[in-house]
Amino acid sequence: MSAKVNAALPLEYQTEQNRMNILGFWVFLGAEIVLFATLFGVYGVLDERYAGGPTQKDIFIVKDVMIQTFLLLTSSFTMGISIFEMRRSNMKGMLMWLVFTLLLGGGFLFMEIREFMHYVHEGAAMQTSAFLSSFFVLLGTHGLHVTIGIGWAILLIIQILQRGLTPVTARKAFIFGLYWHFLDVVWIFIFTFVYLQGLVM
């Protein structure tokens, strides 16, 4: 039996199954919020436990953090354009902006890995202090999510190229967009409560 399709709605919302899947993903994001809230809480407790090691002001490089922030926030903008093009049924435009999103996400990851290598080179490893342990776990978890997102988007692009824009592929792209915007929101909190707060403490 074919699913009832409501063509008046955006492509990703046209079937009941799609709407339920999107709702389910919002629930998943709720669990992710709990995860990151816990990591932020741990960091908030340990961010002054230096154990004689370097502090935030000793290791943070403002220029690199600003570049990472620019790359990730811009990728959120390009992801939004990709969804906009999807709703215009412009598959070529949608994929083009999705690839831009991936490139920006890849650039963010490159900068983050370089940042971590710099810290370790400066003697600021994960086992140096409680502050650095909580710092690396929080940022590493976010970076892992970005890595998973890039892999997910690559698979999504392959599927769209094979099957075209359908309610199912549109729903998957929309859900990926929610995930990517969520990671950008988490980064805004990291930028504010880890980097900015650390530099003015």
Side-chain angles (χ1 to χ4, degrees):
M1 185 173 65
S2 61
K4 185 179 178 182
V5 175
N6 185 348
L9 295 173
L11 192 58
E12 68 273 15
Y13 281 107
Q14 287 185 358
T15 68
E16 181 67 20
Q17 182 65 51
N18 278 5
R19 292 192 288 275
M20 293 303 294
N21 286 353
I22 291 169
L23 176 62
F25 195 77
W26 277 109
V27 174
F28 168 77
L29 288 182
E32 290 284 280
I33 289 171
V34 172
L35 168 66
F36 278 102
T38 303
L39 295 178
F40 275 108
V42 171
Y43 179 81
V45 171
L46 302 178
D47 67 340
E48 294 184 17
R49 307 287 177 86
Y50 304 119
T55 69
Q56 290 90 338
K57 288 182 180 176
D58 295 328
I59 58 173
F60 287 173
I61 302 175
V62 175
K63 185 186 77 173
D64 287 359
V65 174
M66 295 303 291
I67 292 173
Q68 289 179 66
T69 303
F70 173 79
L71 290 172
L72 204 57
L73 295 188
T74 304
S75 76
S76 191
F77 178 71
T78 57
M79 186 66 233
I81 297 177
S82 178
I83 297 299
F84 174 75
E85 295 294 345
M86 179 186 80
R87 288 182 169 173
R88 295 176 61 208
S89 300
N90 180 4
M91 191 176 88
K92 185 178 176 182
M94 175 205 174
L95 291 176
M96 180 184 74
W97 287 106
L98 191 53
V99 169
F100 283 149
T101 302
L102 288 184
L103 292 176
L104 290 165
F108 169 85
L109 268 185
F110 171 78
M111 292 298 298
E112 186 165 66
I113 291 170
R114 199 176 79 153
E115 176 191 11
F116 284 3
M117 291 173 66
H118 164 74
Y119 294 158
V120 172
H121 184 261
E122 295 294 317
M126 191 171 182
Q127 65 273 22
T128 303
S129 66
F131 150 61
L132 287 167
S133 296
S134 59
F135 172 80
F136 279 112
V137 169
L138 174 58
L139 267 74
T141 303
H142 179 266
L144 176 63
H145 278 69
V146 173
T147 305
I148 292 171
I150 289 174
W152 180 1
I154 291 171
L155 294 176
L156 181 63
I157 289 171
I158 293 171
Q159 193 171 73
I160 292 173
L161 287 172
Q162 289 177 339
R163 302 180 184 177
L165 261 182
T166 68
V168 173
T169 55
R171 178 245 298 164
K172 291 179 179 179
F174 182 76
I175 286 176
F176 172 74
L178 292 178
Y179 178 80
W180 197 258
H181 292 311
F182 170 75
L183 296 182
D184 292 336
V185 171
V186 172
W187 180 257
I188 290 172
F189 279 92
I190 290 175
F191 177 77
T192 304
F193 295 110
V194 175
Y195 289 108
L196 280 185
Q197 184 175 295
L199 289 170
V200 299
M201 280 172 62

